[in-house]
Each structure stands twice: as C-alpha cells, then as structure tokens.
C-alpha cells in the first residue's frame, strides 16, 4: 500500500504553504476548491489530460479523488496531496441535503473508506497526504472536522493513519506538531522525528518518512 499521512490544522496555519519545497513535476495536488497556492507557484500548472502533465487537479468528489489515485503510478507522480479534504466531505453533504435519514451518513463514511482502500491498492512507494481542518468536541478533544456527530459515530478517520501531523503558528512561523497530547490525535511512529515541533516543510517531512520506512522513491529537489 501507499503511505497515508494526515495533516490537520485550522485555516491559515500553513498547511498549503508547506508544499513550497516539493518538486511539482513529481507531485499531484487535488484541489476541491480552486485557489492559488500561497507561495511563488509558477511551476505548479493545472493538469492537462491530453499531455499528462501538470501538478494540480480540481475535483470535489470522492470518485474524482479515487480516479486520480488510480492514475498516479502511470504518470510518474511520487506524492498525492489532497488540499483540503474537508471540502470534499462538505460537497457530498450538500449534494445529499434533500435526502433524509441515516443512510446518507453511512454512505459518506463508506466513501471515505473507499479512498483509504484505494490508497492501500496503489504503489507501495507513494505517499498520500490528506490535508484537512480540525474541530474540537464537547470535551475539548481536537479531531478531524467532518460533518457532525452522526458521521463521527461511524468513523474515526485519524485511527486509519499511522502518521497524523498537527500544526501550530507562532511569531516565529508555522510548525508541524509530530506528537501531541491527550487532547489531540497527533502521532508519528516512535523514533521517526526527534522533535515535537518541526518546520512546516513537507519536502523535509517526506524525506524523513522515506528514510524511516526505507522508501527509495524520494522527490528530487527543485532545480
């Protein structure tokens, strides 16, 4: 299976900025919402299906995400980044707004599970980063933002990942949180990262993950 990594943070804390040092030729960013990347992104072009080139694919459906994942081995991408996953969930909820009953929440959970199953099926050397927003429950526990308690009762997304990074923003800048507290789900395998807070550089994070797991498919530096 590919390696799934979740990155959770409030809006504006630096999730998208962390992509800045990745080589766009080797990365596919799935955007549920069309927006500019928050750095000098001249090398990041919209995906062109005719030439199989580009680094940004826009879709807001689970099926669209799965279709992209299925093709990445064929076009030489080493990393897939979904930015921001919560909007795929929100779009599905809006599409089903007129449907009553509990079934639509069960189907939403099933769709998320299909994405995770597809990640299991693709190249072992690939990494799939799911960037998403956080929420806080009634007990003060930080969790992935979903669509409310009904979906939370069916699914605990963070439990499907070995690596869940948080983010914090201070006067010194934005940082990934590699391991958290009893109030959050942030976690990484023992020994993967030496520090609890590290710079929000996804290229650096990905290199550490590759070294830790013995993955010989690192992205190359930007030329």
């Amino acid at each position: 299976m590919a390696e799934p990594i979740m990155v959770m943070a409030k809006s504006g804390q630096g999730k998208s900025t962390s992509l800045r040092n990745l080589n766009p030729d080797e990365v596919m960013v799935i955007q549920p919402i069309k927006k500019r990347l928050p750095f000098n992104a001249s090398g990041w072009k919209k995906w062109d299906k005719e030439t199989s080139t580009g680094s940004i694919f826009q879709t807001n459906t689970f099926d669209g995400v799965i279709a992209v994942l299925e093709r990445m081995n064929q076009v030489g991408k080493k990393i897939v980044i979904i930015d921001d996953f919560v909007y795929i969930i929100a779009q599905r909820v809006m599409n089903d707004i007129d449907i009553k009953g509990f079934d639509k929440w069960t189907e939403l959970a099933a769709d998320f599970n299909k994405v995770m199953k597809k990640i299991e099926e693709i190249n072992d050397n690939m990494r799939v980063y799911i960037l998403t927003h956080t929420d806080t429950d009634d007990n003060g526990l930080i969790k992935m933002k979903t669509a409310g308690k009904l979906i939370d009762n069916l699914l605990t997304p963070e439990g499907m990942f070995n690596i869940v990074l948080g983010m914090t923003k201070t006067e010194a800048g934005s940082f990934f949180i590699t391991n958290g507290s009893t109030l959050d789900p942030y976690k990484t395998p023992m020994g993967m990262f030496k520090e609890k807070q590290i710079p929000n550089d996804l290229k650096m994070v990905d290199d550490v993950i590759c070294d830790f797991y013995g993955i010989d498919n690192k992205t190359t530096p930007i030329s």
Side-chain angles (χ1 to χ4, degrees), residues 182-216:
T182 56
L183 293 178
D184 63 59
Y186 311 143
K187 58 184 179 179
T188 54
M190 185 180 297
M192 178 175 279
F193 294 97
K194 295 180 180 179
E195 304 294 335
K196 183 174 179 178
Q197 291 189 12
I198 58 176
N200 74 326
D201 182 345
L202 206 58
K203 164 65 175 167
M204 183 199 72
V205 167
D206 192 69
D207 285 349
V208 171
I209 291 171
C210 288
D211 289 340
F212 187 85
Y213 286 127
I215 298 172
D216 59 0

Coordinates of all heavy atoms in Angstrom, one line a residue, residues 182-216:
T182 N -2.9 14.4 25.2 CA -4.2 13.6 25.4 C -5.4 14.3 24.8 O -6.4 13.7 24.6 CB -4.4 13.3 26.9 OG1 -4.5 14.6 27.6 CG2 -3.3 12.5 27.5
L183 N -5.2 15.5 24.4 CA -6.4 16.3 23.8 C -6.4 16.3 22.3 O -7.2 17.0 21.7 CB -6.4 17.7 24.4 CG -6.7 17.8 25.9 CD1 -6.6 19.3 26.3 CD2 -8.0 17.3 26.3
D184 N -5.4 15.7 21.7 CA -5.3 15.7 20.2 C -4.9 14.4 19.7 O -4.3 13.5 20.4 CB -4.4 16.9 19.7 CG -3.0 16.7 20.2 OD1 -2.4 15.7 19.8 OD2 -2.5 17.6 20.8
P185 N -5.0 14.1 18.4 CA -4.7 12.8 17.8 C -3.3 12.8 17.1 O -3.0 11.8 16.4 CB -5.8 12.6 16.8 CG -6.1 14.0 16.3 CD -5.8 14.9 17.4
Y186 N -2.5 13.8 17.3 CA -1.2 13.9 16.6 C -0.3 12.8 17.0 O -0.1 12.6 18.2 CB -0.6 15.3 16.8 CG -1.6 16.4 16.5 CD1 -1.5 17.6 17.3 CD2 -2.5 16.4 15.6 CE1 -2.4 18.6 17.1 CE2 -3.4 17.4 15.4 CZ -3.3 18.5 16.2 OH -4.2 19.6 16.0
K187 N 0.3 12.1 16.0 CA 1.1 11.0 16.3 C 2.0 10.6 15.2 O 1.7 10.9 14.0 CB 0.2 9.7 16.6 CG -0.7 9.4 15.5 CD -1.6 8.2 15.8 CE -2.6 7.9 14.6 NZ -3.5 6.8 14.9
T188 N 3.2 10.1 15.5 CA 4.1 9.6 14.5 C 4.8 8.4 15.1 O 4.9 8.2 16.4 CB 5.2 10.6 14.1 OG1 5.9 11.1 15.2 CG2 4.6 11.7 13.3
P189 N 5.3 7.4 14.3 CA 6.0 6.2 14.9 C 7.2 6.6 15.8 O 7.9 7.6 15.5 CB 6.4 5.5 13.6 CG 5.5 5.9 12.6 CD 5.2 7.3 12.8
M190 N 7.4 5.9 16.8 CA 8.5 6.1 17.7 C 9.8 6.2 17.0 O 10.2 5.3 16.2 CB 8.5 5.0 18.8 CG 9.6 5.3 19.9 SD 9.6 3.9 21.1 CE 7.9 4.1 21.8
G191 N 10.5 7.3 17.2 CA 11.9 7.4 16.6 C 11.9 8.1 15.2 O 12.9 8.3 14.6
M192 N 10.7 8.3 14.6 CA 10.6 8.9 13.3 C 11.1 10.4 13.3 O 11.9 10.8 12.5 CB 9.2 8.9 12.7 CG 9.1 9.5 11.3 SD 7.5 9.3 10.5 CE 7.6 7.6 9.9
F193 N 10.6 11.1 14.3 CA 11.0 12.5 14.4 C 11.6 12.8 15.8 O 11.1 12.3 16.8 CB 9.9 13.5 14.2 CG 9.3 13.5 12.8 CD1 8.2 12.7 12.5 CD2 9.9 14.2 11.8 CE1 7.7 12.7 11.2 CE2 9.4 14.2 10.5 CZ 8.3 13.4 10.2
K194 N 12.7 13.5 15.9 CA 13.3 13.7 17.2 C 12.7 14.9 18.0 O 12.7 14.9 19.2 CB 14.8 14.1 17.0 CG 15.6 13.0 16.4 CD 17.1 13.4 16.2 CE 17.9 12.2 15.7 NZ 19.3 12.6 15.5
E195 N 12.1 15.8 17.3 CA 11.5 17.0 17.9 C 9.9 16.9 17.8 O 9.4 16.4 16.9 CB 11.9 18.3 17.2 CG 13.5 18.4 17.2 CD 14.1 18.6 18.5 OE1 13.3 19.1 19.4 OE2 15.3 18.3 18.7
K196 N 9.3 17.5 18.8 CA 7.8 17.6 18.8 C 7.3 18.6 17.8 O 6.3 18.4 17.2 CB 7.3 17.9 20.2 CG 5.8 17.9 20.3 CD 5.4 18.2 21.8 CE 3.8 18.2 21.8 NZ 3.4 18.3 23.2
Q197 N 8.1 19.7 17.6 CA 7.7 20.7 16.6 C 8.9 20.8 15.6 O 10.0 20.9 15.9 CB 7.5 22.0 17.2 CG 6.2 22.1 18.1 CD 5.9 23.5 18.6 OE1 6.5 24.5 18.1 NE2 5.0 23.6 19.5
I198 N 8.5 20.8 14.3 CA 9.4 20.9 13.2 C 8.9 21.9 12.2 O 7.7 22.2 12.1 CB 9.7 19.5 12.5 CG1 8.4 18.9 12.0 CG2 10.3 18.5 13.5 CD1 8.5 17.6 11.2
P199 N 9.8 22.4 11.3 CA 9.4 23.4 10.3 C 8.3 22.9 9.4 O 8.3 21.7 9.1 CB 10.6 23.7 9.6 CG 11.7 23.4 10.5 CD 11.3 22.3 11.3
N200 N 7.4 23.7 9.0 CA 6.3 23.3 8.1 C 6.8 23.1 6.6 O 6.4 23.8 5.7 CB 5.1 24.2 8.2 CG 5.3 25.5 7.4 OD1 6.4 26.0 7.4 ND2 4.2 26.0 6.9
D201 N 7.7 22.2 6.5 CA 8.3 21.9 5.2 C 8.0 20.5 4.8 O 8.6 19.5 5.3 CB 9.8 22.1 5.3 CG 10.5 21.9 3.9 OD1 9.9 21.3 3.0 OD2 11.7 22.3 3.8
L202 N 7.0 20.3 3.9 CA 6.5 18.9 3.6 C 7.6 18.1 2.8 O 7.6 16.9 2.9 CB 5.2 19.0 2.8 CG 4.3 17.8 2.9 CD1 3.9 17.6 4.3 CD2 3.1 18.0 2.0
K203 N 8.5 18.8 2.1 CA 9.6 18.1 1.5 C 10.5 17.4 2.6 O 10.9 16.3 2.4 CB 10.4 19.1 0.6 CG 11.8 18.6 0.2 CD 11.8 17.4 -0.7 CE 13.2 17.0 -1.2 NZ 13.2 15.7 -1.8
M204 N 10.8 18.2 3.6 CA 11.6 17.6 4.7 C 10.9 16.5 5.4 O 11.5 15.5 5.7 CB 12.0 18.7 5.7 CG 12.9 18.3 6.8 SD 12.8 19.4 8.2 CE 11.2 19.0 8.9
V205 N 9.6 16.7 5.7 CA 8.8 15.7 6.3 C 8.8 14.4 5.5 O 9.0 13.3 6.0 CB 7.4 16.2 6.6 CG1 6.5 15.0 7.0 CG2 7.4 17.2 7.7
D206 N 8.6 14.6 4.2 CA 8.5 13.4 3.3 C 9.9 12.7 3.2 O 9.9 11.4 3.2 CB 8.1 13.8 1.9 CG 7.7 12.7 1.0 OD1 6.7 12.0 1.3 OD2 8.5 12.4 0.1
D207 N 11.0 13.4 3.2 CA 12.3 12.8 3.2 C 12.5 11.9 4.5 O 13.0 10.8 4.4 CB 13.4 13.8 3.1 CG 13.5 14.4 1.7 OD1 12.9 13.9 0.7 OD2 14.2 15.4 1.5
V208 N 12.1 12.4 5.6 CA 12.2 11.7 6.9 C 11.4 10.4 6.8 O 11.8 9.3 7.2 CB 11.8 12.6 8.1 CG1 11.8 11.7 9.4 CG2 12.8 13.7 8.2
I209 N 10.2 10.5 6.3 CA 9.3 9.4 6.2 C 9.9 8.3 5.3 O 9.9 7.1 5.6 CB 7.9 9.8 5.7 CG1 7.2 10.6 6.8 CG2 7.0 8.5 5.4 CD1 5.9 11.2 6.3
C210 N 10.4 8.7 4.2 CA 11.1 7.8 3.2 C 12.3 7.1 3.9 O 12.4 5.9 3.8 CB 11.5 8.5 2.0 SG 10.1 9.0 0.9
D211 N 13.1 7.9 4.6 CA 14.3 7.3 5.3 C 13.8 6.3 6.3 O 14.4 5.2 6.5 CB 15.1 8.4 5.9 CG 15.9 9.2 4.9 OD1 16.0 8.7 3.7 OD2 16.3 10.3 5.2
F212 N 12.8 6.6 7.1 CA 12.3 5.8 8.2 C 11.8 4.4 7.7 O 12.1 3.4 8.3 CB 11.3 6.5 9.0 CG 10.8 5.8 10.3 CD1 11.6 6.0 11.4 CD2 9.7 5.0 10.3 CE1 11.2 5.3 12.6 CE2 9.3 4.3 11.4 CZ 10.1 4.5 12.6
Y213 N 11.1 4.5 6.6 CA 10.4 3.3 6.1 C 11.3 2.6 5.0 O 10.9 1.5 4.4 CB 9.0 3.6 5.5 CG 8.0 3.8 6.6 CD1 7.2 5.0 6.5 CD2 7.8 2.9 7.6 CE1 6.3 5.2 7.5 CE2 6.8 3.1 8.5 CZ 6.0 4.3 8.5 OH 5.1 4.5 9.5
G214 N 12.4 3.2 4.6 CA 13.2 2.6 3.6 C 12.6 2.7 2.2 O 12.9 1.9 1.3
I215 N 11.9 3.8 1.9 CA 11.3 4.1 0.6 C 12.4 4.8 -0.2 O 12.9 5.8 0.1 CB 10.1 5.0 0.8 CG1 9.0 4.2 1.6 CG2 9.5 5.4 -0.6 CD1 7.8 5.1 1.9
D216 N 12.7 4.2 -1.4 CA 13.8 4.8 -2.2 C 13.2 5.6 -3.4 O 13.8 5.7 -4.4 CB 14.6 3.7 -2.8 CG 13.9 2.6 -3.6 OD1 12.6 2.8 -3.8 OD2 14.5 1.7 -4.2

